[in-house]
Amino acid sequence: MSDTSPADLVAQTFEAQRDRLRAVAYRMLGSHADAEDVVQEAWLRLSRQDTAAIHNLAGWLTTVVGRISLDVLRSRQARPEASYDDRLPQLVVTVDDGPAPEDDVALADSVGLALLVVLESLGPGERLAFVLHDLFAVPFDEIGQILGKSADAAKMLASRARRKVQTTEHPAPAGRQQREVVQAFLAAAHRGDFEGLLRVLDPEVKLTADTPGGVVVVLGATEVATGAQSRVAAGAAVRGRAVLVDGLPGFVSWRADGTPLSVMAFTIADGRITGITVVIDPARLAAMDLPEPGWVAAEIASASTQSRSSSTTGSRGPTPT
């Protein structure tokens, strides 16, 4: 005879669902911290329920997580000045060993920076309908109940969101050309080559930096190139290595004592850098699972001759002025 109590069985069932619930909340909210809070709130609500009356516990939990996440999204929309703890989503950094056939599969199977950016352009209802239906196969009648709408209305919201996602340009996987463009950017920054930086930056490039004081956004090739020159000129980084950051080509740099200095991820389209995400907050960097420091930064300069030709190959169209 089992000694497991009904309460223990509910707790075990919840734990078995925890990873899935966290994934639903994260794709809804783009924040691991917020996702954890939502899952914890779902557990508190479950603990106050008569679980004997819940016929489908997994479905009930998904509905509760969806409703709580929807409330958070609507709260953000009502208070746009509140910026997701003023932090970027948690980034996953892995060693970049060069192009491999499985790269495309891994990128397509993940929800990285690119999709999160697209999802944030959706309204709360659209985002919930798309995430629950297209990513987690929740039926439209259940989604409609969460939204307080009919199943047909939920289906229309998901369809509208799907069109937005499909028509938004996604960055290409980290292939050879993308790596060459990043190398050209790093080499030009190391040389202090302002024109070289402009050649690989899209005129409307957006740099988003996670700093100790919060998120800072820099717009335009001229501003981003000027900042890149200044940062490299300071000479703080002595080691670095190429990485993948949520599937995008990236770079990690370290100080002489092995302390991480920055993590950068590059979004590239048509041979130019259209977006740069950089984390320079020491607390965020210390919490990241980063690879071992790579080669010395001076080796960037030794590779600059190759990168000059790469930057020319990588750029498309006229040089921005």
Side-chain angles (χ1 to χ4, degrees), residues 85-295:
D85 294 333
D86 228 10
R87 285 294 180 264
L88 295 172
Q90 182 176 327
L91 306 179
V92 178
V93 181
T94 55
V95 175
D96 184 2
D97 292 324
E102 61 270 20
D103 284 351
D104 291 352
V105 176
L107 186 66
D109 196 41
S110 68
V111 177
L113 288 174
L115 183 54
L116 285 175
V117 169
V118 176
L119 291 179
E120 287 178 11
S121 70
L122 305 177
E126 292 175 334
R127 185 162 179 164
L128 181 137
F130 175 80
V131 167
L132 290 186
H133 182 267
D134 285 40
L135 301 185
F136 293 96
V138 176
F140 283 121
D141 56 347
E142 295 181 22
I143 296 172
Q145 291 176 13
I146 298 174
L147 293 168
K149 299 178 181 292
S150 67
D152 287 342
K155 187 174 183 179
M156 289 180 63
L157 284 170
S159 178
R160 191 163 63 200
R162 194 178 304 115
R163 286 195 300 271
K164 291 181 180 180
V165 171
Q166 291 173 347
T167 57
T168 300
E169 184 175 3
H170 296 280
R176 185 180 305 280
Q177 185 191 48
Q178 285 72 36
R179 290 171 170 87
E180 289 177 348
V181 172
V182 171
Q183 181 62 36
F185 172 86
L186 296 171
H190 188 85
R191 297 193 307 268
D193 181 0
F194 189 76
E195 293 299 324
L197 288 168
L198 292 181
R199 279 194 293 274
V200 294
L201 290 172
D202 185 88
E204 298 181 3
V205 61
K206 176 181 178 181
L207 182 146
T208 305
D210 195 344
T211 75
V215 173
V216 175
V217 176
V218 179
L219 300 175
T222 300
E223 294 296 325
V224 171
T226 300
Q229 276 188 311
S230 301
R231 186 162 182 78
V232 174
V238 296
R239 306 194 77 182
R241 73 182 304 162
V243 294
L244 295 176
V245 182
D246 283 358
L248 300 178
F251 190 78
V252 181
S253 60
W254 289 267
R255 301 181 190 275
D257 61 2
T259 303
L261 182 64
S262 68
V263 171
M264 305 179 74
F266 298 85
T267 301
I268 298 166
D270 294 329
R272 283 185 172 176
I273 297 169
T274 59
I276 303 174
T277 300
V278 55
V279 177
I280 57 176
D281 178 9
R284 289 291 305 274
L285 291 169
M288 289 176 131
D289 183 14
L290 299 176
E292 292 297 318
W295 32 268

Side-chain angles (χ1 to χ4, degrees), residues 25-48:
Y26 175 61
R27 284 154 177 77
M28 285 285 295
L29 303 174
S31 164
H32 288 286
D34 285 351
E36 289 288 354
D37 289 344
V38 166
V39 172
Q40 183 61 25
E41 176 62 23
W43 165 249
L44 293 176
R45 294 190 186 188
L46 177 63
S47 66
R48 297 193 292 264

Side-chain angles (χ1 to χ4, degrees), residues 5-21:
S5 68
D8 289 337
L9 288 173
V10 171
Q12 290 173 10
T13 302
F14 180 84
E15 287 303 319
Q17 291 289 321
R18 182 183 289 274
D19 287 346
R20 181 176 183 275
L21 297 174

